[in-house]
């Protein structure tokens, strides 16, 4: 982002903070999240657009239409393309058929491959340690920071399994597989604020496409479904190996880009 976007100031729909009509205490922290895009999982029979009350929809649409936020979300997608070219193409190969198969699904941003976004509207968006288990395990979660805080002292990003604590300044962006790495933020000072834009992809979307636009249960219910599922799933350990192969090493990035995008 070229300038700091104070999401709270950009949304003068409700003020003061404690009059905002959303529950702010949840398992990820005490702040206001607004999520929109495509969802699949948790018992859904098919992918669908995330439903939300009218007030929340107004706020989400206002955020989605903001040119700076659109630019930030496009930048996140560009990072994905630059540093994960093979994985990016795999997303295209799964998500493009998904949207073609069901035109009712709405894409958040025309300049981003990622189908789901959460705006953490603070004013103190400090997340507890957690993993996003419904996200695609090998997929990346992109987080763009914002707010008014001293990044040398506050709002550090910590990644538990990697044993890393990283300074995370306003307007910077991180990318990591949030389904398998537990993560969170260190606290803010009394007068500090933090907001965030997070894009990601639910893992169920990819499974739905792989299974021929069916759930696992629907696939198994059809004739020959068990054999088809076994074929799609592959041998034990194969999905892990195939997933790791979609990650590029630093010295492979140039050749991977050429292979993926020079057609």
């Amino acid at each position: 982002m070229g300038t700091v976007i104070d999401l709270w100031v950009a949304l003068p729909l409700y003020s003061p903070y404690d009059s905002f009509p959303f529950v702010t205490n949840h398992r990820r922290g005490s702040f206001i999240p607004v999520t929109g895009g495509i969802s699949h999982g948790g018992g859904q029979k098919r992918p669908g657009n995330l439903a939300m009350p009218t007030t929340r929809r107004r706020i989400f649409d206002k955020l989605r239409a903001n040119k700076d936020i659109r630019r930030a979300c496009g930048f996140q997608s560009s990072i994905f393309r630059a540093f994960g070219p093979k994985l990016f193409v795999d997303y295209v190969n799964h998500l493009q058929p998904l949207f073609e198969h069901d035109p009712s699904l709405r894409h958040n941003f025309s300049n981003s491959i990622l189908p789901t976004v959460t705006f953490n509207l603070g004013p103190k968006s400090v997340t507890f340690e957690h993993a996003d288990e419904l996200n695609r395990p090998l997929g990346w979660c992109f987080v763009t920071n914002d707010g008014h805080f001293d990044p040398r002292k506050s709002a550090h990003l910590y990644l538990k399994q990697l044993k890393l604590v990283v300074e995370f300044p306003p307007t910077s962006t991180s990318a990591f597989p949030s389904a398998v790495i537990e993560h969170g933020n260190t606290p803010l000072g009394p007068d500090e604020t933090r907001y965030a834009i997070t894009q990601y992809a639910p893992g169920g979307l990819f499974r739905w496409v792989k299974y021929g636009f069916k759930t696992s249960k629907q696939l198994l219910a059809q004739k020959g479904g068990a054999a088809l599922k076994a074929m799609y799933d592959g041998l034990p350990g194969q999905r892990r190996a195939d997933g790791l192969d979609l990650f590029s090493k630093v010295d492979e990035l140039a050749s991977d880009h050429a292979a993926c995008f020079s057609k």
Side-chain angles (χ1 to χ4, degrees), residues 195-236:
Y195 311 93
I197 303 169
T198 304
Q199 286 192 103
Y200 50 94
L205 299 178
F206 298 83
R207 186 167 55 251
W208 168 265
V209 174
K210 179 185 286 188
Y211 287 171
F213 307 104
K214 298 179 179 69
T215 64
S216 175
K217 186 176 181 180
Q218 291 166 343
L219 178 62
L220 289 171
Q222 73 179 47
K223 185 177 180 180
L228 280 174
K229 185 176 184 301
M231 180 185 70
Y232 292 144
D233 290 345
L235 297 172

Side-chain angles (χ1 to χ4, degrees), residues 22-215:
F22 305 150
V23 174
T24 59
N25 296 311
H26 45 88
R27 71 182 185 90
R28 286 186 172 85
S30 297
F31 54 88
I32 299 164
V34 177
T35 298
I38 312 303
S39 173
H40 187 50
Q44 287 179 254
K45 294 184 178 180
R46 60 184 303 111
N49 302 303
L50 283 164
M52 60 185 83
T54 301
T55 299
R56 190 182 292 257
R57 169 59 64 184
R58 285 176 56 217
I59 293 170
F60 179 79
D61 288 344
K62 186 177 180 71
L63 287 164
R64 190 175 60 169
N66 181 284
K67 64 181 180 63
D68 292 317
I69 289 176
R70 292 181 64 84
R71 183 179 179 185
C73 291
F75 178 66
Q76 291 179 346
S77 188
S78 296
I79 292 174
F80 194 11
R81 190 181 189 275
F83 292 98
K86 292 188 291 185
L87 188 56
F88 183 93
V89 169
D90 186 71
Y91 271 53
V92 172
N93 290 340
H94 283 85
L95 297 178
Q96 185 172 316
L98 173 68
F99 283 98
E100 291 174 350
H101 178 77
D102 187 351
S104 71
L105 298 176
R106 296 191 301 268
H107 208 295
N108 288 324
F109 303 103
S110 60
N111 59 344
S112 174
I113 187 63
L114 299 153
T116 313
V117 63
T118 295
F119 301 109
N120 290 337
L121 301 182
K124 290 182 176 290
S125 298
V126 176
T127 57
F128 300 146
E129 182 181 295
H130 69 285
D132 301 304
E133 64 277 356
L134 294 182
N135 290 359
R136 193 182 190 192
L138 60 91
W140 297 359
C141 175
F142 297 82
V143 183
T144 297
N145 242 0
D146 196 15
H148 303 282
F149 59 88
D150 184 347
R152 297 167 299 177
K153 300 177 181 179
S154 305
H156 295 169
L157 172 66
Y158 66 86
L159 305 168
K160 183 177 180 179
Q161 283 78 2
L162 300 182
K163 299 181 179 180
L164 290 175
V165 179
V166 184
E167 289 186 7
F168 196 11
T171 74
S172 60
T173 297
S174 66
F176 58 94
S178 65
V180 296
I181 296 179
E182 294 173 85
H183 55 283
N185 303 104
T186 59
L188 295 165
D191 299 320
E192 294 181 324
T193 60
R194 178 181 178 268
Y195 311 93
I197 303 169
T198 304
Q199 286 192 103
Y200 50 94
L205 299 178
F206 298 83
R207 186 167 55 251
W208 168 265
V209 174
K210 179 185 286 188
Y211 287 171
F213 307 104
K214 298 179 179 69
T215 64

